[in-house]
Amino acid sequence: MRSNSDNLASKLLDYLARPPGDPSSGEVAAATRNCVAAAVERLGPRRAPVAEPPEIAGSATRWAREGVALETVLGAYHDELRSGLAFIAAETEDDKVVAGAQLMLRVLEMVTVTTSTAYVDEHRVVAREHQTAAQTLVSALLGGHGVAELAKQTGIAVAPAYQVVALSIPAHPEERRPGAGVAAARRRLRRVQAALADPLGSRALSLLSVAGGTVLVPIEDRSARVGVPAVTADVLGLLSEAAEVPLTATAASGPTARIPELAARTHDLLDSVRADERPPGLYRVVEPEADDDCDTAQPGHPPYVNSTNDSEFGWSA
């Protein structure tokens, strides 16, 4: 025979399985409702310790990458908990216990939201300062001036050579929905920026907008063949997964002093790739080899494709 707690947990799960009362409450509210239901199902009347439902951490990770404010997430969770308590109140006759539980929930919400917001706000300030310094350094590297002084000011070391990557991020179909375009594009950009960190490390620099931009990956030891971070076809695939659209990139490598030239070349080639409607993927710029029987490359001469997969671009003689 089922206990009262079993019956109440079952009824609460049935209640949480219904859609939110407000149809316009949004994706966060709907997802938090599902997460609360998963927690109730795991905890319920059980006595033994149980693991946290994976959807709670999975949703939190996705929202963090998309830049959803933590206070928004916590507020949505507490709204669902209040809704659950209201449901329990309608199913029980002990008004004092329910009133006490509601009070403690309000206390929990105040403590959790206030502490978390202050903690995250401070973290954002530190992260924003570092991001501003990094973007200033990228601009200096692309402009070819004031790099040494800025490196001292920002504390970001400048490598002797870089892989210079021009990146194109096409629009996602979700951005065509009325009223959702700007927010969806920003979430997509944040996912791409977050995805850059793991394969490239913390010293990779980027200057990106929702449409793309430039990524600079330091090359510390040009003779090393293993373990050196770089944008490869596989890395571009990871970025495409994060963006949920196929990305296109052109890449070249060279000394730090040549970054302005390499950036101009990779972006010119990226424009050509897009204009020719070539498939998404990574296209490499190949330096011309010295040849006594071949004239030097002419400025502005169109590139040619040496390979169709992880393609290489060279300059015809």
Side-chain angles (χ1 to χ4, degrees):
M1 184 176 180
R2 300 181 69 180
S3 66
N4 290 336
S5 59
D6 286 329
N7 289 328
L8 188 57
S10 178
K11 290 180 179 179
L12 184 57
L13 281 173
D14 290 340
Y15 170 75
L16 291 170
R18 305 170 193 168
D22 182 1
S24 63
S25 55
E27 185 268 342
V28 173
T32 52
R33 191 178 185 87
N34 292 335
C35 289
V36 168
V40 170
E41 187 174 15
R42 288 290 182 96
L43 295 171
R46 304 182 187 204
R47 300 292 181 266
V50 293
E52 295 84 356
E55 48 264 64
I56 296 178
S59 296
T61 300
R62 184 175 72 256
W63 290 326
R65 287 182 177 177
E66 294 181 351
V68 178
L70 179 58
E71 51 266 35
T72 299
V73 175
L74 294 177
Y77 270 121
H78 284 91
D79 285 343
E80 289 302 326
L81 293 176
R82 273 191 293 271
S83 175
L85 277 175
F87 174 80
I88 292 173
E91 296 290 326
T92 183
E93 298 177 356
D94 197 337
D95 295 338
K96 291 183 179 180
V97 172
V98 173
Q102 289 176 332
L103 173 61
M104 292 309 297
L105 178 60
R106 288 197 296 271
V107 172
L108 174 62
E109 179 179 17
M110 180 180 292
V111 171
T112 302
V113 174
T114 303
T115 302
S116 300
T117 300
Y119 188 95
V120 172
D121 282 348
E122 184 60 25
H123 176 74
R124 286 172 180 163
V125 169
V126 174
R128 192 178 298 115
E129 290 174 350
H130 177 77
Q131 183 181 32
T132 300
Q135 290 181 344
T136 302
L137 183 57
V138 173
S139 297
L141 288 167
L142 292 173
H145 55 77
V147 174
E149 184 61 30
L150 272 175
K152 292 179 182 178
Q153 294 175 6
T154 61
I156 302 174
V158 175
Y162 282 86
Q163 181 193 36
V164 181
V165 182
L167 183 66
S168 173
I169 308 175
H172 190 280
E174 181 183 343
E175 296 169 34
R176 301 189 184 96
R177 291 191 305 162
V182 175
R186 288 175 179 170
R187 289 197 300 269
R188 181 168 49 86
L189 175 59
R190 291 189 184 103
R191 292 197 302 269
V192 171
Q193 290 171 326
L196 280 169
D198 187 33
L200 300 184
S202 60
R203 290 195 57 205
L205 303 170
S206 64
L207 195 60
L208 299 175
S209 70
V210 295
T214 306
V215 180
L216 303 179
V217 186
I219 303 173
E220 299 293 351
D221 183 0
R222 302 186 66 180
S223 64
R225 298 298 180 188
V226 180
V228 178
V231 174
T232 62
D234 289 340
V235 170
L236 189 64
L238 293 175
L239 300 182
S240 296
E241 289 179 8
E244 298 178 354
V245 287
L247 306 186
T248 302
T250 54
S253 299
T256 300
R258 290 187 60 205
I259 285 179
E261 169 203 343
L262 295 176
R265 180 178 292 186
T266 53
H267 278 280
D268 284 345
L269 289 177
L270 182 60
D271 290 341
S272 297
V273 168
R274 296 178 62 191
D276 293 341
E277 298 183 350
R278 296 189 180 278
L282 178 63
Y283 296 83
R284 302 180 189 277
V285 177
V286 180
E287 292 291 340
E289 296 181 0
D291 190 340
D292 292 338
D293 298 329
C294 182
D295 296 333
T296 57
Q298 299 299 314
H301 205 76
Y304 64 93
V305 181
N306 294 331
S307 171
T308 57
N309 187 16
D310 190 10
S311 304
E312 294 182 347
F313 276 97
W315 298 97
S316 59

